[in-house]
Amino acid sequence: MSKQETLLHQKRKQDDKETITPPTQKLSTSASEFITNAKNHPLSISPPLHPEIHPSISPLKFKVVATFNRARASEMTLPHATVITPVYMPVGTKGTMKGLLACDLERMKCNLMLSNTYHLALEPGDEFLNSAYGGPERRGIHNYMNWKGNILTDSGGFQIVSLAQLSVRSEQGVEFVSHIKGDDRKIMLSPEKSMQIQNNIGSDIMMAFDDVIRPTSNINEIYDACERSLRWIDRCIKAHSRKKEQNLFGIIQGGLDLDLRKTAVLEMNKRNLPGYAIGGLAGGETKEDFWKVVDTCTELMPKDKPRYLMGVGYPVDLVVCALLGVDMFDCVFATRTARFGTAFTNSGFRKLKSEQNKFDFQPIEPECDCEVCKKYTRSYFYLTINKNPRAVSMISFHNIYYLLNLLRRLRQSIIDKKVNEFCIDFFSKQFDRKYPRWVYDALKKAGVDVSFMSDDLRDDVNQDMKLYEDIND
């Protein structure tokens, strides 16, 4: 541990002994008190500083084309392109994707991807992006990447969890020690600083800087973080200086407590933002808890604005949550798992390093029409993946295309009123007719005819979690 990290840890211990709440704003002192407040009263936050961003100001237009209960096929018009939803957003954390170029995404007809505020602020730097690449329209990140589509930037809030050992949280914000080896810089991210960085970056959608903790944390910590996130959104709105060019999305926190999630959604709705996200999931919770939080939030989120579920990217999860009403998804899983030789298929995850592929001359997924599946076999990848880095890039290409196309197919089934037929085809292949109960319960709540599953249910949800843990071995 470096000297800077040691000092930061000492500061963290001292801060843990002190309140990080403004003295004029009292937080609940117990889980029971919090539950009572969440059910009966608004959270104890300050009144919104800027409660509305008028729709005529926002450069986002959202049009619902067709619906299936809460699920919808929509069009989201942003400054650089119109995005059809539901949609998966590939993740280029530092303004680039490992092994892929912007033109690769263009060939997939992808026009919305994600980058990260914290990482771009460190390298190459948001002020550099603005001054060297911004131009008169301040399109820094687009010009830097030579990317014609839209970009969403995460605010840096997730790094509060992922870089917990290198950060100290306070009411003002979060101080980080750079994670880069040999770099002892400190960066203070606050709602104001995150907005400044994202304004410099020039993304089409900016995420609010929120207080992120794991969903399995204790209830008092979750309540405090949720309350602070609502205070911080008002600071974000006030600091956002390019409301006519960039869209600010709020993030709904609240852990796994459904009452707190409801309260957080209703409070966030008051800000009348261009869109909203569900945060704080995919952090170790059970699948049963996971889908119920998504369902609770989408039920109360505005019907005329996009709904974004952060950090979720398993194919089954995307379909289930889109049917519960989610429009947007992102996750690094598609490319990260590709680096281990694992590919997405209609019948589940396929480990291309396995010897069973040596004499298998089928495409990765026979029903996929991506350029990789049109030209290369499973055998090819088995024989080259440890020798040719380009093979990993090709699997990444396939995985991203697979998720993009999966949601396009679901979208078309909503338009064609064939959602039940889509679900029978997709889920029967994914699970070989042995369906997890959480999937059955979630689809039933979404209004899907689940009679095709009823005789083949299994309750061993841990088997699903083990599957996800094993695929990258």
Side-chain angles (χ1 to χ4, degrees):
M1 182 178 292
S2 69
K3 180 180 179 181
Q4 285 80 3
E5 291 173 340
T6 300
L7 292 173
L8 195 56
H9 284 301
Q10 292 173 351
K11 185 176 184 295
R12 176 202 295 272
K13 291 179 180 179
Q14 179 63 32
D15 287 349
D16 286 344
K17 299 176 182 178
E18 303 171 355
T19 179
I20 58 175
T21 308
T24 58
Q25 298 179 20
K26 181 180 182 298
L27 298 179
S28 293
T29 57
S30 68
S32 60
E33 182 181 344
F34 147 67
I35 293 294
T36 302
N37 284 344
K39 287 182 177 179
N40 301 320
H41 305 287
L43 291 175
S44 55
I45 59 170
S46 302
L49 298 174
H50 289 268
E52 295 185 358
I53 297 180
H54 195 275
S56 64
I57 296 177
S58 169
L60 181 152
K61 305 300 178 187
F62 189 74
K63 177 183 177 183
V64 177
V65 177
T67 61
F68 175 82
N69 299 318
R70 206 180 301 160
R72 54 270 187 100
S74 304
E75 296 175 356
M76 179 172 61
T77 301
L78 293 166
H80 289 88
T82 295
V83 180
I84 61 171
T85 70
V87 66
Y88 164 74
M89 299 178 288
V91 179
T93 300
K94 301 178 182 179
T96 182
M97 298 195 64
K98 292 183 179 179
L100 295 176
L101 302 173
C103 59
D104 293 323
L105 297 181
E106 289 172 2
R107 292 202 306 279
M108 300 183 208
K109 298 182 179 180
C110 170
N111 52 19
L112 176 59
M113 64 170 294
L114 183 145
S115 291
N116 181 270
T117 295
Y118 164 86
H119 289 281
L120 289 173
L122 287 175
E123 295 181 329
D126 59 293
E127 293 182 358
F128 174 79
L129 285 173
N130 187 34
S131 61
Y133 286 91
E137 297 181 355
R138 297 182 68 181
R139 299 178 67 253
I141 187 65
H142 298 82
N143 293 334
Y144 175 68
M145 295 177 59
N146 192 24
W147 170 244
K148 299 176 183 178
N150 301 292
I151 294 177
L152 180 151
T153 42
D154 192 6
S155 65
F158 177 71
Q159 277 63 49
I160 299 173
V161 172
S162 65
L163 299 176
Q165 298 305 311
L166 297 175
S167 64
V168 174
R169 180 195 286 110
S170 70
E171 181 64 27
Q172 178 59 28
V174 182
E175 184 179 56
F176 295 92
V177 170
S178 172
H179 69 288
I180 302 171
K181 187 176 181 180
D183 182 1
D184 292 329
R185 284 181 295 168
K186 293 181 181 180
I187 177 173
M188 178 68 183
L189 278 183
S190 64
E192 293 79 10
K193 185 63 175 179
S194 180
M195 293 301 100
Q196 178 188 339
I197 294 171
Q198 293 184 78
N199 285 153
N200 281 337
I201 290 171
S203 52
D204 301 273
I205 298 176
M206 306 162 45
M207 300 308 300
F209 188 66
D210 57 336
D211 189 358
V212 182
I213 63 174
R214 295 193 180 279
T216 52
S217 302
N218 77 63
I219 194 64
N220 289 310
E221 291 176 335
I222 289 171
Y223 178 61
D224 289 355
C226 181
E227 202 175 42
R228 189 173 301 110
S229 294
L230 286 165
R231 290 195 297 271
W232 283 1
I233 184 60
D234 296 325
R235 290 167 58 186
C236 287
I237 293 171
K238 184 178 181 181
H240 177 20
S241 64
R242 301 183 63 197
K243 294 180 175 68
K244 293 184 179 181
E245 295 87 23
Q246 295 174 275
N247 301 282
L248 174 62
F249 279 27
I251 304 176
I252 296 157
Q253 293 291 346
L256 304 178
D257 187 277
L258 301 186
D259 288 313
L260 180 56
R261 285 283 182 172
K262 291 175 183 178
T263 305
V265 174
L266 295 175
E267 286 291 333
M268 192 63 71
N269 289 351
K270 295 176 182 178
R271 274 72 182 170
N272 195 23
L273 295 164
Y276 299 93
I278 303 168
L281 291 177
E285 73 278 5
T286 68
K287 288 293 185 179
E288 187 75 11
D289 286 333
F290 164 77
W291 82 259
K292 287 182 178 178
V293 169
V294 173
D295 176 63
T296 296
C297 292
T298 56
E299 184 177 19
L300 297 175
M301 294 166 78
K303 295 181 180 180
D304 60 345
K305 297 183 179 183
R307 307 165 183 149
Y308 166 27
L309 177 57
M310 305 181 76
V312 172
Y314 295 132
V316 167
D317 295 353
L318 263 60
V319 173
V320 169
C321 293
L323 290 169
L324 290 170
V326 175
D327 304 299
M328 303 162 61
F329 304 86
D330 83 280
C331 191
V332 298
F333 182 65
T335 48
R336 180 171 292 169
T337 198
R339 295 195 287 275
F340 290 90
T342 301
F344 299 159
T345 75
N346 288 344
S347 55
F349 301 113
R350 187 170 190 88
K351 296 182 179 180
L352 294 171
K353 289 183 178 181
S354 173
E355 194 170 358
Q356 65 177 325
N357 296 293
K358 185 173 183 178
F359 296 103
D360 190 336
F361 303 109
Q362 296 183 88
I364 294 176
E365 168 48 57
E367 296 182 18
C368 179
D369 62 353
C370 78
E371 58 190 56
V372 173
C373 287
K374 286 180 178 178
K375 299 177 181 179
Y376 298 93
T377 66
R378 296 170 178 174
S379 175
Y380 171 84
F381 288 105
Y382 169 76
L383 295 169
T384 62
I385 193 167
N386 291 321
K387 303 174 183 178
N388 181 3
R390 185 60 183 160
V392 171
S393 299
M394 293 162 69
I395 300 171
S396 293
F397 186 104
H398 162 79
N399 283 354
I400 291 173
Y401 183 92
Y402 181 88
L403 295 182
L404 288 167
N405 194 52
L406 174 64
L407 291 180
R408 288 170 187 154
R409 288 167 48 212
L410 174 57
R411 180 181 193 274
Q412 193 60 47
S413 76
I414 295 172
I415 294 172
D416 295 341
K417 302 185 185 304
K418 294 184 177 180
V419 170
N420 288 317
E421 291 87 342
F422 172 90
C423 288
I424 292 172
D425 178 68
F426 174 73
F427 288 105
S428 62
K429 291 176 180 176
Q430 284 287 311
F431 294 110
D432 193 24
R433 303 185 186 281
K434 296 177 182 177
Y435 307 105
R437 183 167 292 278
W438 78 267
V439 172
Y440 174 89
D441 291 339
L443 293 181
K444 185 176 181 180
K445 182 65 186 294
V448 175
D449 181 357
V450 291
S451 58
F452 71 97
M453 292 184 172
S454 56
D455 294 330
D456 298 290
L457 294 177
R458 56 180 173 83
D459 293 308
D460 50 338
V461 293
N462 290 332
Q463 182 173 335
D464 294 327
M465 301 308 295
K466 187 176 187 303
L467 169 64
Y468 296 144
E469 293 168 358
D470 288 348
I471 56 177
N472 292 334
D473 286 352

